[in-house]
Amino acid sequence: MCTVDGAISQFGPIEHGQIYQAKGKQFTTTALLAGNAALAKQFDSGLFATIYLSPKDYHRIHMPCRGRLLEMTYVPGELFSVNPATARGVDGLFARNERVVCVFEADNGQPFVQVLVGATIVGSMATTWHGVVNPPRSKSVWTKDYRDQQIVLEQGAEMGRFLLGSTVVLLFPEGDLEFNPDWKAGRGVRLGEVMAD
């Protein structure tokens, strides 16, 4: 299920570790995931979806499917605007902005990731298990490991929020998942609608 209200920025296959941002612009899954090449490798030939939340959208993020939380990583970075015009103009935008990388394990044992990307006016990002992640803003990457806890979020459960609109990037591993055929870049989406089968 779609995890937010917003508009599809881009979606599709992850090809050779690259995620499509806009015409002529890509970034790597490794860069998005704060240099974690081992985690990024799990999404080789997988799928991604980047969804933009404008300031008028509902600012909470929900779960696409049931998942057990494995880890959360805070990544300091820039606070560029994430609107469509900036996505077309700034190289590696989503891998350069401040972000919170949330790694889950689905019921089938496969990992999936939701990345909450900060933006110009987004004063804070929060998760339901941690609370406000920023502020304070750290100058270095930090990770919290939750594998020794049983934090399980059901499909549709709230997992985080932005103070204002921003962007969520979802990563799924290679498999049988296919995106909703009605999806296209620029199309508005609503929380709970079918994202993929």
Side-chain angles (χ1 to χ4, degrees):
M1 64 163 267
C2 187
T3 62
V4 292
D5 287 348
I8 301 164
S9 177
Q10 298 294 337
F11 69 103
I14 299 167
E15 298 178 331
H16 309 293
Q18 299 282 322
I19 295 174
Y20 182 75
Q21 177 178 307
K23 186 175 181 181
K25 297 199 177 339
Q26 296 179 318
F27 57 95
T28 67
T29 49
T30 300
L32 179 70
L33 301 175
N36 188 336
L39 178 59
K41 187 167 180 51
Q42 296 181 64
F43 299 96
D44 282 355
S45 302
L47 298 174
F48 80 94
T50 305
I51 304 174
Y52 168 66
L53 289 70
S54 75
K56 67 176 176 50
D57 287 318
Y58 171 70
H59 305 320
R60 294 177 187 266
I61 304 107
H62 294 253
M63 294 291 288
C65 59
R66 187 174 189 269
R68 182 171 75 90
L69 179 66
L70 300 180
E71 65 182 40
M72 176 181 78
T73 299
Y74 168 80
V75 188
E78 305 294 336
L79 288 172
F80 292 116
S81 170
V82 290
N83 65 39
T86 309
R88 290 189 297 271
V90 176
D91 288 335
L93 173 64
F94 305 115
R96 290 172 64 183
N97 268 20
E98 178 182 48
R99 56 203 179 279
V100 177
V101 178
C102 303
V103 183
F104 297 92
E105 182 181 70
D107 286 343
N108 63 4
Q110 297 276 27
F112 66 94
V113 171
Q114 286 207 98
V115 182
L116 285 58
V117 181
T120 307
I121 313 172
V122 179
S124 70
M125 292 179 274
T127 64
T128 56
W129 57 86
H130 180 85
V132 174
V133 177
N134 61 328
R137 286 192 156 85
S138 171
K139 293 187 188 291
S140 58
V141 174
W142 55 257
T143 298
K144 290 191 178 291
D145 192 304
Y146 295 94
R147 288 172 179 84
D148 63 345
Q149 301 178 46
Q150 280 297 314
I151 301 175
V152 177
L153 285 81
E154 299 296 329
Q155 182 179 41
E158 182 183 334
M159 60 78 62
R161 64 176 170 79
F162 295 114
L163 181 64
L164 280 174
S166 194
T167 291
V168 173
V169 182
L170 295 103
L171 304 180
F172 300 99
E174 184 178 13
D176 297 330
L177 204 62
E178 291 185 10
F179 280 112
N180 182 339
D182 293 335
W183 271 35
K184 62 182 179 181
R187 175 185 182 271
V189 291
R190 301 291 292 177
L191 172 66
E193 76 172 58
V194 174
M195 178 170 67
D197 289 323

